Amino acid sequence: MPVQTLISAIRCLTLLWRFLPRSCGLVRWRLVTARRNQNGSLRRTGRVREYRTRVDNPPTDWYLRSVLRASQFEPTSIRTRAITFKPCELKGDNTMTKNLDRRSVMKALGVAGVTGFAGCTGGGDGSGDGGDESSGGDDGGSSGDDESRSGRTLKQGVLLPLTGDLGSLGKPIRDGAILPQTQLEGETEFTIDIQQEDTETNPQAGIQGANTLVNNGYPAVTGTASSGVNLQVTREVLIPNSTVGCSPSSTSPEVTALEDDDYVFRTAPSDALQGQVIAQVGSERLGNTDAVTMYVNNSYGQALSQSFTESFEERGGTVTEQVAFQKEQSSYSAQLETALGASPEMMVVIGYPASGIQLFRDYFGQYDSGQDIVVTDGLIENDLPDNVDSDMTNVTGTAPKASGPGRDAFNSLYNDEYGREPGVFNAQAYDATAVSLLANVYAGENNGEAVRDNYRRAANPEGEEFGPDSLADAIAAAAAGDEINYQGASSACNIDENGDMEAVSYAISEVQDRDFAETDSVAFGQ
């Protein structure tokens, strides 16, 4: 690039900066280094860098290709030899709005500015605006490589149970997973493309949905929910097809040990920890020395029942029965008779809402003898007591808790969008999608391997901190190549070598007035 052209570009930027209203406050500048190919197109050669400065402190050093953008208005492109202005709005601190377009800028710059401006527009060397860019359009187009960093589409799949045994819990979890798309609309230069598929709380439906997402080019998936579905989907579809999966609610310890080539992550904690929490609640809080478990007959139920049993026995307790049951049966009387035959002090129930409704109808209708009951995350739903038609005052719940630095911001965003408070695993779903999108931005393409390789970079403890309320800024920083540290709603989202969260916490709740109300919490790795 000739020195004179660079000088002209800097002069244009400086004059434009002076034209901006002083009430604009903090403005973000992005710098992209590039060089021109033989065919005349630009190829980015350096990292995208971002600067933030006040309007009274203009940038002084620009190299080759510069892009001016501010978070409150449409980007204005400043290219190597051409400068174009798209209509945009500059919103000042006093909420007054000023429209800026090419004609008004030229008029404001005046005769003195036109000389320097001509060098930018190509008038100085006779090449013109169209001769310097590879494609047309309002801003003269951009190279394909530059598109990998900005202005492209970020694709994200969502694979969660909208029907079946987990359907009533799955829909609010889905709402958390898709919330970033709504939140980011119009707030970032990227287009967010989210496709939803229903697992039906069934492994085969989950596999079919995962194949649909893979075939449609989605490099990462928020999901699945239940471990019984998640383990089969990851083994049969995601891992073989180099697609990232981040589950907000698959808690089986088997997920940690998967041979997944680092394609499988989760924002929910392992049930190896929840088993310890239930044992602590049962022995210390409720004062019980013997117990039974009833668990849904899949990897989630089996692993959590075993985890609780081991932890409870380490505390000196005895587990007399571990009774498996199938999902969505018309009666659970036989299983309840087996579990309660020796009149245990406590019963731990591990399952999902649709099954739980019938199980507890049978229990309170025929078998209630005052045992303490502890239910796990899959059954913590405020509609459960009403659906069972019981106060369920002897029921205590344990579930992963949203305790991240961004929890309050997320709660506000969720409530504003859906008109209700978020429930169990809703924050984890939001974080799974947010981290996936940030990794996609770093990756520069909708490619599963590239997203995987950048997944931990989205929550780099060395980077600048962002949260749910500044997700658009986090995406801009990632696009600029800056190191970021996403502080999530569910946790700080620091990911260990197995793809698990390094720090998590659990809520302990009791049924009060037919609602689950949190009464205590237990933290791990804080």
Side-chain angles (χ1 to χ4, degrees):
M1 179 182 183
V3 174
Q4 184 59 42
T5 306
L6 176 60
I7 293 173
S8 298
I10 294 173
R11 184 179 302 166
C12 291
L13 289 167
T14 303
L15 290 169
L16 172 63
W17 193 259
R18 291 173 181 170
F19 173 75
L20 292 176
R22 290 295 184 265
S23 61
C24 283
L26 189 68
V27 177
R28 181 182 300 111
W29 291 76
R30 296 183 59 226
L31 170 66
V32 185
T33 60
R35 71 182 179 192
R36 192 172 299 284
N37 296 323
Q38 290 183 349
N39 63 4
S41 64
L42 287 173
R43 179 168 66 87
R44 183 175 59 79
T45 58
R47 57 179 280 180
V48 182
R49 302 186 65 184
E50 181 174 276
Y51 302 91
R52 298 181 182 183
T53 181
R54 297 195 62 81
V55 294
D56 56 356
N57 183 23
T60 57
D61 185 18
W62 294 87
Y63 179 66
L64 293 183
R65 180 176 176 84
S66 301
V67 178
L68 166 68
R69 78 178 287 272
S71 59
Q72 295 185 16
F73 58 95
E74 186 177 355
T76 300
S77 300
I78 301 176
R79 304 184 309 222
T80 306
R81 288 185 175 179
I83 183 166
T84 61
F85 298 90
K86 294 181 178 179
C88 60
E89 292 184 345
L90 301 176
K91 296 183 179 179
D93 296 339
N94 59 359
T95 71
M96 293 181 64
T97 301
K98 184 176 182 64
N99 291 324
L100 176 66
D101 57 22
R102 183 186 179 98
R103 178 174 298 178
S104 60
V105 169
M106 290 293 290
K107 181 178 180 180
L109 290 176
V111 176
V114 172
T115 303
F117 196 82
C120 296
T121 59
D125 62 8
S127 61
D129 187 87
D132 288 299
E133 298 298 329
S134 57
S135 63
D138 289 341
D139 61 293
S142 59
S143 68
D145 190 47
D146 189 54
E147 279 291 304
S148 73
R149 280 292 182 185
S150 62
R152 66 182 182 89
T153 296
L154 307 178
K155 302 188 72 170
Q156 179 68 21
V158 171
L159 182 61
L160 292 167
L162 306 181
T163 57
D165 207 3
L166 265 176
S168 59
L169 278 180
K171 290 174 183 176
I173 295 173
R174 182 274 316 272
D175 291 343
I178 65 175
L179 182 56
Q181 181 182 37
T182 303
Q183 177 189 357
L184 293 171
E185 185 175 359
E187 298 297 323
T188 175
E189 58 196 318
F190 295 93
T191 299
I192 312 300
D193 173 12
I194 289 182
Q195 179 171 327
Q196 304 175 44
E197 295 292 330
D198 181 10
T199 69
E200 303 174 16
T201 326
N202 179 284
Q204 293 308 309
I207 289 169
Q208 181 178 348
N211 277 320
T212 298
L213 293 172
V214 168
N215 292 336
N216 288 343
Y218 290 86
V221 174
T222 299
T224 62
S226 67
S227 298
V229 176
N230 188 45
L231 289 167
Q232 294 193 47
V233 166
T234 53
R235 286 171 175 149
E236 297 189 30
V237 182
L238 301 186
I239 298 169
N241 288 284
S242 301
T243 301
V244 170
C246 186
S247 173
S249 55
S250 175
T251 54
S252 171
E254 287 187 61
V255 177
T256 299
L258 274 174
E259 294 184 7
D260 58 9
D261 199 20
D262 210 25
Y263 279 103
V264 179
F265 303 86
R266 58 178 167 182
T267 49
S270 167
D271 279 333
L273 301 177
Q274 186 166 196
Q276 298 176 41
V277 175
I278 302 169
Q280 178 181 335
V281 169
S283 61
E284 295 182 9
R285 187 183 183 95
L286 301 176
N288 296 313
T289 58
D290 68 272
V292 297
T293 68
M294 291 188 65
Y295 63 90
V296 61
N297 194 18
N298 62 18
S299 58
Y300 162 64
Q302 295 162 7
L304 185 48
S305 177
Q306 188 60 34
S307 175
F308 160 74
T309 298
E310 292 173 358
S311 296
F312 193 64
E313 290 177 346
E314 287 176 1
R315 291 174 171 271
T318 301
V319 177
T320 57
E321 293 282 355
Q322 296 186 64
V323 180
F325 62 85
Q326 300 301 317
K327 295 185 296 182
E328 298 185 88
Q329 300 299 299
S330 60
S331 172
Y332 291 98
S333 294
Q335 291 86 349
L336 285 165
E337 287 180 2
T338 301
L340 299 174
S343 299
E345 296 175 334
M346 179 174 73
M347 179 170 68
V348 178
V349 182
I350 305 163
Y352 305 134
S355 302
I357 291 171
Q358 185 59 51
L359 189 154
F360 282 115
R361 283 175 178 170
D362 291 343
Y363 172 82
F364 286 108
Q366 305 174 55
Y367 302 98
D368 181 10
S369 56
Q371 289 92 358
D372 290 321
I373 296 177
V374 178
V375 299
T376 58
D377 45 83
L379 285 164
I380 296 181
E381 184 181 45
N382 282 333
D383 289 341
L384 182 63
D386 285 335
N387 287 330
V388 174
D389 194 21
S390 171
D391 291 340
M392 299 181 70
T393 55
N394 59 333
V395 173
T396 301
T398 65
K401 177 182 178 180
S403 59
R407 180 186 62 180
D408 291 344
F410 164 75
N411 289 348
S412 178
L413 288 167
Y414 191 98
N415 200 320
D416 289 346
E417 181 64 23
Y418 302 116
R420 63 178 185 272
E421 293 298 318
V424 64
F425 295 124
N426 295 183
Q428 285 82 356
Y430 178 94
D431 287 340
T433 297
V435 173
S436 296
L437 293 175
L438 290 166
N440 192 321
V441 173
Y442 276 129
E445 57 182 324
N446 287 300
N447 175 276
E449 182 178 356
V451 172
R452 175 201 66 180
D453 292 345
N454 285 278
Y455 216 77
R456 289 175 180 82
R457 193 177 177 189
N460 181 355
E462 303 297 322
E464 181 181 355
E465 291 186 358
F466 297 90
D469 57 346
S470 56
L471 184 57
D473 291 335
I475 284 181
D482 296 337
E483 298 304 315
I484 67 172
N485 183 5
Y486 173 74
Q487 297 283 288
S490 60
S491 73
C493 289
N494 293 333
I495 305 169
D496 69 14
E497 62 183 5
N498 298 312
D500 290 334
M501 295 293 107
E502 292 184 353
V504 297
S505 61
Y506 287 84
I508 300 169
S509 56
E510 297 176 353
V511 178
Q512 301 173 358
D513 298 325
R514 295 199 173 191
D515 281 334
F516 283 92
E518 182 178 336
T519 57
D520 204 352
S521 63
V522 178
F524 293 89
Q526 304 290 343

